[in-house]
Amino acid sequence: MTSRQRQFEQRVTHHLAIIYAGILDDAQCQELAAQLLELMLKGDVVRQPTPHKSRWDERDAVLICYGDSVNKTQAHEPHTLPTEPPLYTLKQFLDTYTEGAINSVHILPFYPYSSDEGFAVMNYVQVNEALGSWQHINDISKDYRLMADLVINHCSSKSLWFSNFIANVAPGKGYFKTANISDNLEGVVRPRTSELLNKVRTAAGEQHVWCTFSHDQVDFDFANPQVLREFVAIIRFYLDNGVRLFRLDAVAFLWKVPGTSCINLPQTHEVVRLLRTLIEHVQPQAIIITETNIPNEQNLSYFGNANEAHCIYNFSLPPLLLHTLTTGDCTALKKWMMRMPPAQDGTAYFNFIASHDGIGLRPAEGLLDTVQINALVACMQRFGAKVSWRTQNDGTLAPYEINIALFDALQGAQQGPDNFAVARFLCAHAIMLALEGIPGVYIHSLTGTENDYERFNNTQHNRAINRHRWHWHDLEAKLADPHSHHQKVHRGMLNLLKIRGKQKAFHPNATQFTLHLGQEIFGFWRQSADRQQSIFCLFNISNQPQTLSLEDLNLVNTQPWCDLLSDIVYKDMSTCLSMRPYQAIWLTNTTT
C-alpha cells in the first residue's frame, strides 16, 4: 500500500468512526474502510484532490431535464410511442437548441421506477428501457458534463431490495429503517402529510417501515453498513458511466434517531463528508451537490468547512425572486443577499429559479413573513398554481410548495396578468445568471413552457403541472414562429447565457456586493478575481419605468462603460439611465 493509499484509508476510517460510533468498533471501521476503498478504486491509483480548488468557471451552465422531456413521434400523432429513444432525442435537442450556451446537463432519474416520476427507484444500475440505454447516457456525457441523481434516502417499495426485505433474505435484509409505534416520533420533520410509518408483514414478523415521502418510497437504514457499501458501489458505477456531478437527493433526511427531528443529524453531515472523500480521491473533477429543500441557514450548513458538498442548491432564491417580481419591491431579496456568506473557493451556490419540482416555501421561512408568503401563494393560485402542503409538528397544515410553470408564475404582478410576461421572465433569469454561483436552467425555462393542465388532470399530481413533455415537431414549430413567446424566450435565454459565459466577473466565485438603489431597482456588483472586470448588474423589478443616475454607482469615469445586453456605451457619468419595466442592464468596464 502506498503512503497516499494509507492516508486515504485513514481518512475514510475516521469518517466511519464518527458515523458508526456506538455501532462499530475500531477494527470493524478499519475493515469497512478497506472494503469501501476496494469498491471505489477497483485497481485505480489514488488521486490527490487539490483543496479549495474550484471545478467550474463562468462558462458553466446546467440544463435540468427529464430523459423524455422531448420526444419524437409520428407527425401530428403526439400521443403515440416515440419513434426513437428519448435520450437520443435529448442529445439532438442539446446539440440543436442550446447552441453551445449549455455545457452540462442534469438528467433527472433515468432508472426504472414505480412512482414520483423517477424518485422511487427500482434499480439503480439500469436505465429505464422507455428512455434508452447506458450507451445513450454515455453519448451525452462525452459532450456535456453529466449530473445524475443519487436517490440516497429511499427507494421503491417495488424494488428487489424491498421484496427481499419482506422475505428476510439478502440483498435487502436489514436495508430499511423501521420503528416501533411506541417510539417518540413527535419531533420528526417531514415534507408530506401521509403517515410516517407503514405497517408491513415480513417473514420476520410485522414491521413498521419508515416512509418520509410516500409509502411507495421506503427509507434506507444507513446504520446498516451494508447499505453504505451498496451506494459506494453505485457511485463507482456512475463514475464509470460518465457521471461527474452527483445530486444527493433528499439527503437531509438520511439518518434517523427517534426522539430527534430526524433531519440534518450529525451522522448525515458525516456521510456527505465521507462520500466527498471517496469520490474526489478517485475522480478529482467530480462534484457533489446536496439537494436540501430546508430553511436557509440549515441549507448553508451542507457546505461544512468546505469539506462537505461542493455545491448546495440555492433554495431561497426562487420564492424570494418570485416575491420580488410580483410585488415590485426588492427589500427582502436585498436583505437575504447581504446575509449570504460568499462561498469559499472550492464551493459554490447552485442557482436556479425553476425545476421539476415547485417553488419551495420552507426556504423562505425567516426571509418572508407569513403575510408575504400567503400573498405569494394567493397570487400564484390566481395564475393557475396548485399548492402542496405539509403537516407541522402541531398537526396543522402549512403550504410547502407552489406548483406552477415559471412562465405562468411571472405572467403578471400582484395586480394581475399584464403585457410584461416575457420581459419579466427574462429579467428573472438575468438576475439568476448574474448572481454568484453556477446557474441551473430548467428546460421549460429555455422554451417558455406554460402550465400543463392535461398532464395534471391525467395524474392528479400537483407537480405534473410543471413537467410538460414536448413533442419534437410541436416544439420545433413554436421555436421557429417569430410571433410565439416560446421563440422570444428561447432567443432571449440563449443570448443571456452566451453573454454570461464570456465574462470573468461572472465566475461563480467572483466578488459580489449588494447595491442600494431603492425598492424598485435591484442591483449588485461583480468583480473578477484578477480585478480587471467589473459588472454592475441593474434590474428594474417593477412594472413602471425607473430612472437611475450613473453617478449613483460611483463608476470610474476614466473609461467608458458598456451595457452587455444592449451594447450601449456610456462615456458621460452624469447620464441618467431610463429603465423600462423589467429591463436588465449588465454594465461593464471591459467587453470580450
Side-chain angles (χ1 to χ4, degrees):
M1 180 183 290
T2 66
S3 60
R4 182 174 291 179
Q5 283 179 314
R6 188 173 297 107
Q7 291 175 355
F8 183 26
E9 185 169 1
Q10 288 172 349
R11 286 192 60 183
V12 171
T13 303
H14 175 71
H15 291 307
L16 295 172
I18 296 173
I19 295 167
Y20 292 108
I23 299 174
L24 301 180
D25 60 27
D26 291 346
Q28 289 171 319
C29 286
Q30 291 173 359
E31 180 182 357
L32 179 57
Q35 293 170 355
L36 298 184
L37 264 62
E38 183 177 358
L39 288 170
M40 280 298 293
L41 290 174
K42 294 175 65 176
D44 288 350
V45 298
V46 176
R47 303 185 186 184
Q48 187 62 45
T50 304
H52 300 286
K53 179 182 178 182
S54 296
R55 297 157 170 81
W56 43 78
D57 61 28
E58 61 276 6
R59 296 169 295 180
D60 288 305
V62 181
L63 186 77
I64 304 166
C65 60
Y66 282 98
D68 60 349
S69 285
V70 185
N71 297 285
K72 281 191 178 178
T73 59
Q74 295 293 333
H76 309 300
E77 297 183 28
H79 296 291
T80 59
L81 292 174
T83 56
E84 63 186 23
L87 286 169
Y88 180 83
T89 307
L90 176 61
K91 178 67 161 57
Q92 292 178 72
F93 174 86
L94 289 164
D95 293 345
T96 305
Y97 288 110
T98 65
E99 299 180 6
I102 295 286
N103 67 359
S104 306
V105 57
H106 172 202
I107 308 176
L108 289 153
F110 45 80
Y111 328 109
Y113 70 95
S114 57
S115 64
D116 199 18
E117 298 227 26
F119 287 94
V121 178
M122 295 172 65
N123 189 313
Y124 285 82
V125 295
Q126 289 183 0
V127 173
N128 185 347
E129 291 181 356
L131 300 178
S133 67
W134 279 112
Q135 184 59 56
H136 296 114
I137 296 292
N138 297 156
D139 289 343
I140 291 172
S141 71
K142 291 173 184 175
D143 294 327
Y144 301 90
R145 192 159 58 167
L146 177 63
M147 183 195 298
D149 288 274
L150 190 67
V151 185
I152 196 168
N153 178 70
H154 52 262
C155 76
S156 169
S157 66
K158 312 298 190 300
S159 65
L160 174 63
W161 284 346
F162 194 66
S163 295
N164 286 348
F165 171 83
I166 292 174
N168 202 32
V169 298
K173 177 181 178 180
Y175 279 20
F176 297 94
K177 180 67 177 178
T178 61
N180 297 315
I181 57 175
S182 60
D183 287 342
N184 178 8
L185 304 177
E186 292 181 0
V188 175
V189 173
R190 298 181 62 224
R192 297 291 186 270
T193 58
S194 57
E195 290 293 328
L196 174 63
L197 300 181
N198 185 31
K199 184 169 64 176
V200 177
R201 292 188 180 279
T202 76
E206 187 176 272
Q207 301 204 51
H208 292 84
V209 180
W210 198 290
C211 300
T212 297
F213 291 89
S214 78
H215 288 180
D216 188 42
Q217 293 165 295
V218 284
D219 287 29
F220 290 110
D221 185 0
F222 271 84
N224 179 352
Q226 182 59 31
V227 175
L228 178 62
R229 281 192 286 263
E230 292 280 11
F231 273 93
V232 170
I234 291 167
I235 288 170
R236 176 64 206 227
F237 181 82
Y238 289 176
L239 284 171
D240 290 341
N241 281 279
V243 175
R244 291 297 176 265
L245 291 84
F246 290 84
R247 178 184 183 270
L248 304 189
D249 175 67
V251 68
F253 302 96
L254 181 139
W255 199 276
K256 293 91 172 169
V257 177
T260 73
S261 64
C262 298
I263 188 171
N264 308 321
L265 296 188
Q267 295 92 332
T268 293
H269 284 279
E270 197 63 36
V271 168
V272 177
R273 295 186 193 108
L274 168 65
L275 296 183
R276 174 168 174 162
T277 296
L278 289 168
I279 289 171
E280 66 183 6
H281 278 80
V282 173
Q283 175 48 259
Q285 294 305 310
I287 295 169
I288 286 178
I289 301 181
T290 49
E291 188 268 335
T292 48
N293 191 357
I294 51 181
N296 192 52
E297 290 188 6
Q298 297 176 31
N299 189 32
L300 289 170
S301 70
Y302 282 87
F303 274 142
N305 186 21
N307 62 348
E308 289 191 38
H310 297 94
C311 303
I312 62 171
Y313 273 75
N314 211 344
F315 272 108
S316 295
L317 179 60
L320 283 175
L321 192 50
L322 203 56
H323 163 80
T324 297
L325 289 166
T326 54
T327 62
D329 184 346
C330 65
T331 302
L333 186 61
K334 281 196 300 186
K335 287 182 178 179
W336 167 74
M337 276 192 63
M338 289 187 291
R339 290 167 52 184
M340 290 291 280
Q344 296 185 53
D345 288 340
T347 67
Y349 294 106
F350 186 74
N351 294 327
F352 73 106
I353 50 177
S355 73
H356 63 293
D357 290 337
I359 307 296
L361 295 175
R362 287 218 69 203
E365 293 176 10
L367 305 173
L368 298 176
D369 61 33
T370 302
V371 172
Q372 291 170 320
I373 290 175
N374 289 341
L376 179 60
V377 169
C379 179
M380 292 301 100
Q381 287 178 313
R382 291 195 296 274
F383 293 163
K386 309 298 177 182
V387 179
S388 298
W389 302 83
R390 69 182 181 91
T391 304
Q392 301 182 104
N393 289 339
D394 62 2
T396 61
L397 296 180
Y400 173 73
E401 183 178 82
I402 300 169
N403 302 111
I404 189 170
L406 187 64
F407 188 80
D408 279 326
L410 293 171
Q411 66 182 269
Q414 290 281 353
Q415 299 87 347
D418 55 32
N419 296 321
F420 299 119
V422 172
R424 188 183 290 108
F425 188 82
L426 293 175
C427 179
H429 285 88
I431 292 172
M432 187 265 282
L433 291 171
L435 285 170
E436 174 193 351
I438 302 167
V441 178
Y442 192 31
I443 189 170
H444 296 304
S445 292
L446 201 63
T447 58
T449 310
E450 299 159 293
N451 288 336
D452 189 335
Y453 293 110
E454 180 181 359
R455 191 173 182 85
F456 165 74
N457 289 331
N458 287 339
T459 64
Q460 290 299 302
H461 292 155
N462 286 357
R463 287 177 169 176
I465 199 172
N466 188 34
R467 295 176 175 179
H468 182 68
R469 269 36 173 197
W470 277 108
H471 300 284
W472 181 277
H473 301 293
D474 291 343
L475 182 59
E476 188 177 45
K478 291 185 183 298
L479 296 185
D481 181 359
H483 302 294
S484 165
H485 80 263
H486 300 282
Q487 188 196 74
K488 295 173 184 177
V489 165
H490 182 243
R491 300 314 308 169
M493 290 289 292
L494 289 184
N495 184 55
L496 289 171
L497 284 161
K498 289 177 180 178
I499 293 171
R500 178 192 184 277
K502 297 177 181 178
Q503 316 307 320
K504 289 185 177 180
F506 284 156
H507 185 286
N509 296 105
T511 299
Q512 175 175 288
F513 284 106
T514 307
L515 302 176
H516 298 277
L517 305 170
Q519 292 183 355
E520 295 83 9
I521 298 179
F522 178 57
F524 51 91
W525 171 69
R526 303 294 307 277
Q527 185 183 59
S528 60
D530 61 10
R531 300 188 179 182
Q532 295 301 302
Q533 184 184 34
S534 289
I535 302 179
F536 285 83
C537 307
L538 310 170
F539 311 92
N540 178 2
I541 50 87
S542 76
N543 56 12
Q544 299 296 320
Q546 301 295 328
T547 301
L548 176 67
S549 172
L550 291 180
E551 292 179 340
D552 293 338
L553 301 177
N554 294 319
L555 302 179
V556 175
N557 58 13
T558 58
Q559 54 189 321
W561 289 76
C562 176
D563 174 19
L564 293 165
L565 302 182
S566 67
D567 291 328
I568 296 176
V569 176
Y570 299 92
K571 297 181 180 179
D572 183 358
M573 294 303 105
S574 64
T575 300
C576 282
L577 299 177
S578 296
M579 300 184 69
R580 302 184 304 275
Y582 306 106
Q583 181 179 356
I585 294 175
W586 289 348
L587 198 62
T588 186
N589 60 328
T590 65
T591 57
T592 56

